[in-house]
Amino acid sequence: MAMKLIDHNEINNFFESNNYICLKPYHIVNNNDTVFVSAGIQPILKDYREGKLTDGKKYFVSQPVIRTQYIDSIDEGYSLAFINSTSSSFNITEEEYKKMIKDWYDFIGNAGLLKKKLTSQTDLYSDIWGDLQVSGKRTFYYYDGMEIGDTTFFTNVTKDNHKIDIDSFSDLGFGLERLRWLSVGGSYYDLYSNSKKIDCNIKAYLSAIALLAVNNVVPSNKNCGYRFRLFSKKLVGLLEAKDLSEEESNYLDECIEYWLEFQRNDDQFNKNIILKEYIRNGNRYIMDLLIQEGYENVSGININIPRDEFIKRVIASGVETEKVRKLVKR
């Protein structure tokens, strides 16, 4: 069984012992709008600009993130939801920044990876982050050719082409799941157990849906709730609306436990909200298939009902019992 190598306590304890202030992970929705946090530096920079963080202090956060650009390119090492562990500091020297890089090298070594297998590549980075124009020296880090993270030392930060009170800041971000995967082997998506029997696309959507639900980003949510529904529909398409297998249900439980831990959320969580949305979208999927095959009588059936009741109504509408069973069971 492939067990989880790096947990929340382990990584926080390491950085705390190196004089970092460990921040509580932020909510997955960025700035209360429809944009997800896609990197740990986003909320850290926002807090600094609001006066909540101090110059010269070293900050660290294991930040759960969502990157929707991977929605159609999921594979081992690529996911919609993952931990972007980020360290940062403001108005520091380049030597202090290099010491922060060394801290990451030490952590990577402690995690079981061989430092001699690490390589790097540096370029000049320039971009617009919201209302800021930022630029600086960026370095990508690879382990056996697989990218594991990047660090940037920003030395030019302007707003409307005018300097602001940030002379420099650092952004060091590494993918925690990739570090674990490369150290332990197995699947990138393994959490508490070996999940090799499940397709990685299915695992990616189960994980992303679980992260959204843990953050209360659900279909009724006014802003990002549509993403919950979209991911659920993608999952329905992959599974062809069939009920979750025992392995998939167990993996969903592991995802919920994983995200609750990293969000430091001790609330009791009921996964029924995930299952209810899956069933709802699955009922729609089954109805559409039957209509395409000429079973027009199913079109008026309410999809917002439990699967067993939906099946009864489909059969009552004239669809053969055996046909319906084949649609919903594995």
Side-chain angles (χ1 to χ4, degrees):
M1 302 290 281
M3 300 304 290
K4 185 180 62 164
L5 173 68
I6 307 168
D7 64 18
H8 168 263
N9 289 326
E10 178 182 350
I11 193 167
N12 272 20
N13 288 343
F14 174 88
F15 281 94
E16 283 180 349
S17 69
N18 283 277
N19 301 313
Y20 287 77
I21 298 172
C22 290
L23 304 171
K24 182 178 179 179
Y26 299 84
H27 193 277
I28 193 65
V29 178
N30 184 27
N31 202 28
N32 295 320
D33 59 18
T34 58
V35 180
F36 293 120
V37 171
S38 61
I41 190 61
Q42 291 174 330
I44 291 177
L45 179 57
K46 180 175 180 290
D47 270 6
Y48 176 80
R49 296 182 69 188
E50 292 178 352
K52 299 175 183 178
L53 305 180
T54 305
D55 283 343
K57 300 288 187 181
K58 297 187 297 183
Y59 296 98
F60 173 81
V61 64
S62 284
Q63 179 60 40
V65 299
I66 292 277
R67 292 190 181 174
T68 55
Q69 65 263 40
Y70 294 137
I71 196 167
D72 294 315
S73 59
I74 296 167
D75 200 354
E76 291 286 357
Y78 297 88
S79 188
L80 294 167
F82 58 95
I83 303 292
N84 182 234
S85 290
T86 302
S87 56
S88 183
S89 191
F90 296 86
N91 292 322
I92 60 172
T93 66
E94 187 167 5
E95 287 304 309
E96 290 171 313
Y97 162 68
K98 290 179 179 178
K99 173 59 173 63
M100 294 175 74
I101 295 176
K102 180 181 180 301
D103 292 337
W104 270 106
Y105 267 82
D106 290 344
F107 177 78
I108 290 168
N110 289 351
L113 300 179
L114 301 176
K115 294 181 182 179
K116 65 182 181 181
K117 291 188 175 184
L118 286 169
T119 58
S120 61
Q121 183 175 336
T122 299
D123 65 8
L124 295 177
Y125 173 76
S126 180
D127 203 355
I128 296 175
W129 289 9
D131 62 338
L132 298 181
Q133 297 87 40
V134 297
S135 62
K137 184 167 66 175
R138 175 178 60 181
T139 303
F140 291 97
Y141 300 87
Y142 305 87
Y143 188 82
D144 269 353
M146 170 63 71
E147 184 183 337
I148 58 174
D150 60 84
T151 69
T152 308
F153 186 53
F154 293 97
T155 53
N156 186 23
V157 185
T158 61
K159 179 179 178 181
D160 299 327
N161 296 319
H162 294 89
K163 290 288 292 181
I164 62 173
D165 58 354
I166 302 177
D167 292 326
S168 68
F169 75 96
S170 60
D171 171 21
L172 302 87
F174 288 79
L176 198 60
E177 289 83 0
R178 283 196 179 182
L179 297 180
R180 182 187 65 232
W181 175 45
L182 293 169
S183 177
V184 176
S187 171
Y188 167 86
Y189 298 91
D190 287 347
L191 298 178
Y192 302 90
S193 62
N194 188 318
S195 60
K196 66 181 180 182
K197 293 183 180 180
I198 309 173
D199 179 81
C200 65
N201 286 267
I202 293 170
K203 289 184 282 191
Y205 283 113
L206 286 171
S207 180
I209 291 168
L211 176 56
L212 294 182
V214 163
N215 282 271
N216 198 35
V217 180
V218 294
S220 59
N221 183 281
K222 293 181 180 179
N223 294 322
C224 289
Y226 72 97
R227 287 294 184 183
F228 187 107
R229 184 151 289 165
L230 172 62
F231 295 164
S232 181
K233 287 179 179 178
K234 289 280 190 178
L235 181 62
V236 165
L238 288 170
L239 296 176
E240 297 181 328
K242 291 178 172 59
D243 295 336
L244 295 184
S245 67
E246 181 179 356
E247 291 86 358
E248 290 158 355
S249 182
N250 290 340
Y251 187 76
L252 176 59
D253 289 338
E254 291 190 2
C255 290
I256 291 169
E257 181 180 352
Y258 185 74
W259 294 122
L260 285 173
E261 176 187 347
F262 274 98
Q263 291 281 189
R264 299 196 207 177
N265 187 339
D266 296 326
D267 295 340
Q268 292 295 316
F269 182 83
N270 189 333
K271 72 176 183 180
N272 283 339
I273 191 167
I274 296 173
L275 299 178
K276 183 178 179 181
E277 181 63 18
Y278 177 79
I279 293 299
R280 176 190 182 280
N281 292 315
N283 290 348
R284 166 59 70 183
Y285 181 94
I286 292 168
M287 179 186 290
D288 289 343
L289 281 179
L290 291 171
I291 291 173
Q292 290 173 17
E293 293 183 22
Y295 294 93
E296 297 292 342
N297 289 342
V298 303
S299 61
I301 299 175
N302 182 5
I303 63 171
N304 299 302
I305 56 177
R307 176 61 58 83
D308 289 345
E309 180 61 27
F310 178 78
I311 291 171
K312 289 178 183 177
R313 297 188 188 186
V314 168
I315 294 172
S317 75
V319 183
E320 299 86 349
T321 301
E322 187 59 28
K323 182 177 186 63
V324 177
R325 286 177 178 167
K326 287 181 179 179
L327 284 174
V328 299
K329 299 297 181 183
R330 292 174 183 274

